[in-house]
Amino acid sequence: MKQTRYAVILLLIVTSITQLQAWDNLHFYRPPFVLYAEPRFERPGLTTVNVRIGAGGTSTSRNGCSRKSCLLDIYGPQNMFKLGENVPGKDLTNPRDLTLQMLEVEPARDGFGLFSFGGKFSIIEAGIQIQQNISDGFFLEFYMPVRKIKLSNLSCNDLSPCAACPGDDDPIWQSFLNQYGAILSDNCISLCDQSETGVGDTSVILGWTTNYEESEHLDFVDFTMQAGVLFPTAKRTNINRAFAIPLGYNGHYGFPVNMALAFGMYEWLTIGGHAMALPFKKRCQELRMKTSTPQNGWIKLAQGSANVDRGTLWHIGMYTKADHIIRGLSLLLGYSFAAEREWRICPSNCAVFDIGVANSDEALRGWKMHTIHLIAEWDFLKERCLVGPRVGIFGNFVIGGKRIFNTQMGGGMIGLDLVWNY
């Protein structure tokens, strides 16, 4: 009886490594916090508590053509040439509005009126997760992230060509440059650095898992599926901040579903994968929208309410893991692909915002990210003990993508498994 108990506990610890599901996990500004691929162990009464913390930063990004660029050029250069086109409420007795109006009728030229924005991004993020097995393979899960996001060292580079007509010495363009800060201030737009700390979006998930060990050729076959609700507990994005980075999904409820499958062989090797989708509920919100098709970038002068159909998030991954190869050490190498589908917005005031123009925004086209995951974890199981502590380190490295920050992250984790029924 005791030998059976210890064997069950050992299997519990082995299979729990990196099994976390982090639902508020997919964002354009950093790689997935951890690789969450492994199925959960089917053990009535099992409680798992995990805390992970990571940090990273970057000063580069990948634009819509997958090329590395300045940090804030993920949507391409900012079009200042057409910044005021079709923006309602301009007062032509105001010299700044008059400058915008005059700039609209300047002849077009490649590169004229474009800005490139740079900066430095950094993040520290912790995830707290609790999983509780119930019976018959069912379990509940709670997850809450906490983030500190910082955007600093903002810089601007005028890409307008020299010795051209129009060029960087064009009088109207020079007038715009001299009034640029005041124009943004008139429209309540701030270009200041950002430093934000707070919780992300919180998830409550129901899952079902099974562990099959009767195969003649494999050590085990494990399968887990999950579904639940993501609650918008994160602070909403400030639309008056030009380069606002969201802590969560900006007020949208989400409905995540996940499936994971793993095979064990040779008593030390695990191969597995997972697939996750996170669709969102539509919501009406205040946001800044394009008023002219050529407009491009983060900065938009006009704002209004719109019904926002946020793009579904997808995440698929695969991994191979060497279990307990040296004194409780396990090593994992994984790859994952994350993507956000294109958004669709429907402005409330169609007289001001043309629906086709508003939806031509490059910022609504979603993003893609390829990531390599490395994890090393040690467990400290002792005989006659039903408590299994674990510690580990991880690295998540972006290797490609579109419209993302090129952030690399590393960190550590600590976990505890408690067996209440045996």
Side-chain angles (χ1 to χ4, degrees), residues 22-52:
W23 298 100
D24 178 3
N25 192 44
L26 305 178
H27 296 278
F28 72 90
Y29 51 76
R30 59 103 172 98
F33 192 35
V34 290
L35 178 69
Y36 47 88
E38 292 197 70
R40 181 157 176 78
F41 184 68
E42 182 185 0
R43 173 68 178 177
L46 169 63
T47 301
T48 302
V49 180
N50 292 275
V51 178
R52 303 192 179 188

Side-chain angles (χ1 to χ4, degrees), residues 1-274:
M1 180 65 181
K2 288 185 177 180
Q3 290 180 343
T4 301
R5 182 192 309 172
Y6 297 145
V8 169
I9 296 171
L10 179 60
L11 182 59
L12 178 158
I13 299 300
V14 171
T15 58
S16 67
I17 295 175
T18 69
Q19 68 185 354
L20 283 183
Q21 170 64 287
W23 298 100
D24 178 3
N25 192 44
L26 305 178
H27 296 278
F28 72 90
Y29 51 76
R30 59 103 172 98
F33 192 35
V34 290
L35 178 69
Y36 47 88
E38 292 197 70
R40 181 157 176 78
F41 184 68
E42 182 185 0
R43 173 68 178 177
L46 169 63
T47 301
T48 302
V49 180
N50 292 275
V51 178
R52 303 192 179 188
I53 184 167
T58 186
S59 58
T60 63
S61 64
R62 293 182 184 270
N63 60 25
C65 298
S66 301
R67 291 193 293 266
K68 284 190 176 182
S69 57
C70 293
L71 180 70
L72 297 168
D73 287 349
I74 59 175
Y75 310 128
Q78 173 75 49
N79 189 328
M80 294 298 187
F81 177 37
K82 297 292 185 179
L83 186 65
E85 190 167 66
N86 298 330
V87 172
K90 288 201 292 287
D91 178 8
L92 299 186
T93 63
N94 182 326
R96 294 179 288 277
D97 284 351
L98 180 60
T99 297
L100 287 174
Q101 185 74 15
M102 295 174 64
L103 193 59
E104 291 176 26
V105 298
E106 284 281 272
R109 179 178 172 82
D110 289 345
F112 175 68
L114 301 183
F115 277 4
S116 174
F117 284 99
K120 182 179 180 180
F121 172 78
S122 62
I123 182 172
I124 301 174
E125 180 171 334
I128 303 169
Q129 188 163 38
I130 301 173
Q131 294 173 309
Q132 178 62 57
N133 285 13
I134 307 171
S135 64
D136 299 320
F138 287 96
F139 64 96
L140 287 172
E141 176 182 331
F142 169 84
Y143 180 77
M144 182 181 71
V146 180
R147 301 185 175 99
K148 180 177 182 180
I149 290 173
K150 187 175 182 181
L151 185 63
S152 59
N153 298 341
L154 295 178
S155 63
C156 176
N157 181 30
D158 181 5
L159 302 181
S160 298
C162 302
C165 185
D168 61 354
D169 59 350
D170 182 86
I172 298 177
W173 179 241
Q174 287 298 316
S175 177
F176 170 81
L177 294 179
N178 292 332
Q179 302 178 80
Y180 161 59
I183 290 172
L184 297 186
S185 181
D186 285 349
N187 290 273
C188 302
I189 296 176
S190 169
L191 289 178
C192 64
D193 293 352
Q194 176 183 359
S195 182
E196 200 85 58
T197 301
V199 299
D201 290 336
T202 302
S203 305
V204 178
I205 309 295
L206 175 66
W208 179 82
T209 190
T210 183
N211 311 129
Y212 180 73
E213 301 174 12
E214 306 302 323
S215 173
E216 296 182 1
H217 306 289
L218 298 172
D219 298 337
F220 62 84
V221 179
D222 293 345
F223 174 76
T224 294
M225 57 183 180
Q226 296 172 273
V229 180
L230 179 141
F231 297 91
T233 53
K235 183 179 179 180
R236 307 295 191 268
T237 302
N238 184 352
I239 65 171
N240 293 328
R241 183 174 286 161
F243 305 112
I245 309 297
L247 287 173
Y249 296 123
N250 205 29
H252 288 264
Y253 281 86
F255 305 95
V257 293
N258 178 67
M259 291 187 294
L261 181 66
F263 303 92
M265 58 192 75
Y266 309 124
E267 298 183 353
W268 65 272
L269 180 64
T270 300
I271 298 174
H274 84 284

